[in-house]
Amino acid sequence: DIQMTQSPSSLSASLGDRVTITCRASQNIGSYLNWYQHKPGKAPNLLIYAASSLQSGVPSRFSGSGSGTDFTLTISGLQPEDFATYYCQQSYSTLLTFGGGTKVEIK
Amino acid sequence: QVQLQESGPGLVKPSETLSLTCTVSSVSITSYYWNWIRQPPGKGLEWIGHIHYSGGTNYNPSLKSRVTISVDSSKKQFSLKLTSVTAADTAMYYCARDFDGSGRILNFWGQGTLLTVSS
């Protein structure tokens, strides 16, 4: 299995802050990395696919970067609706695996 | 807009078989991959497996011996069966459709159904 490790597991930030979340894969996965946003009681939402492609309808303040084993999700200018848990997921292997999640909370 | 809705019993006894259904709206089920994912309380997401509309399946090896995913295109539903459940199978269960036909990027998700295993 490809293990996905996210950091931090949680963070506190203020409105307007720039937030960075890191995801590391246990092996080289190229650009086969996706990011999801998950709010309690809601369906998870695909934000970024193929490491850096913004899903249709997702605000441009979300961006993704990286390749190989190290990836980053950046939120530029945190908005009230962005407080949620974020997950990375590798799509290199048929056995899909997710990171442990990063909970973004209000400071 | 593609909509998915999970349904299930809510409570299952240990050693019994869990059965969940995902009903798909606004799009034909005769395309793409249809997935099941779960999230135990306080833990992360675990991919269970998926089925292609043609019937081909892939399962997480950690669950493969207990899992069956099937599809009923006429009803626009796909289903999950998990045998010999234990408390470790208590989780929120989500169904999802893939993004591009690769089966590996999950674009549309249901809101989830909570399944508790308890006597």
Side-chain angles (χ1 to χ4, degrees):
Chain A
D1 302 5
I2 299 175
Q3 307 301 318
M4 307 301 295
T5 303
Q6 277 181 247
S7 61
S9 56
S10 66
L11 64 89
S12 295
S14 300
L15 295 178
D17 281 355
R18 179 184 176 95
V19 169
T20 299
I21 299 168
T22 298
C23 179
R24 175 165 288 177
S26 61
Q27 67 180 71
N28 188 333
I29 59 170
S31 296
Y32 292 95
L33 191 284
N34 314 300
W35 290 98
Y36 300 86
Q37 178 192 66
H38 191 196
K39 299 178 182 179
K42 302 281 190 177
N45 183 39
L46 176 66
L47 299 175
I48 303 284
Y49 62 96
S52 60
S53 295
L54 191 67
Q55 170 63 348
S56 176
V58 174
S60 59
R61 63 181 179 273
F62 291 93
S63 63
S65 64
S67 66
T69 59
D70 294 313
F71 302 86
T72 300
L73 173 70
T74 300
I75 310 172
S76 300
L78 200 64
Q79 298 298 304
E81 60 268 29
D82 300 337
F83 292 97
T85 300
Y86 294 85
Y87 293 93
C88 63
Q89 173 243 326
Q90 63 80 19
S91 48
Y92 179 85
S93 166
T94 302
L95 172 53
L96 308 183
T97 50
F98 295 84
T102 297
K103 187 173 184 178
V104 176
E105 299 176 302
I106 302 172
K107 182 183 285 184
Chain B
Q1 178 76 350
V2 179
Q3 293 184 322
L4 296 91
Q5 180 67 57
E6 304 89 348
S7 58
L11 179 66
V12 177
K13 291 182 169 56
S15 80
E16 292 188 343
T17 296
L18 170 169
S19 295
L20 299 175
T21 297
C22 183
T23 301
V24 180
S25 304
S26 305
V27 68
S28 170
I29 204 168
T30 56
S31 188
Y32 297 101
Y33 283 85
W34 303 91
N35 296 260
W36 286 100
I37 305 97
R38 69 181 184 179
Q39 184 173 31
K43 296 188 177 182
L45 296 164
E46 179 183 35
W47 179 76
I48 298 170
H50 64 208
I51 187 165
H52 191 251
Y53 75 97
S54 63
T57 55
N58 282 299
Y59 299 132
N60 189 320
S62 68
L63 298 168
K64 188 174 184 177
S65 64
R66 298 194 292 131
V67 171
T68 302
I69 298 175
S70 57
V71 64
D72 186 336
S73 300
S74 64
K75 294 184 178 179
K76 297 180 71 174
Q77 293 177 336
F78 63 105
S79 300
L80 169 70
K81 288 191 188 302
L82 182 65
T83 62
S84 304
V85 298
T86 70
D89 295 309
T90 292
M92 185 72 80
Y93 284 76
Y94 298 94
C95 59
R97 197 203 82 177
D98 83 308
F99 173 53
D100 58 355
S102 71
R104 303 187 184 191
I105 305 171
L106 306 174
N107 191 19
F108 296 104
W109 296 61
Q111 292 192 327
T113 186
L114 182 61
L115 192 288
T116 301
V117 179
S118 175
S119 55

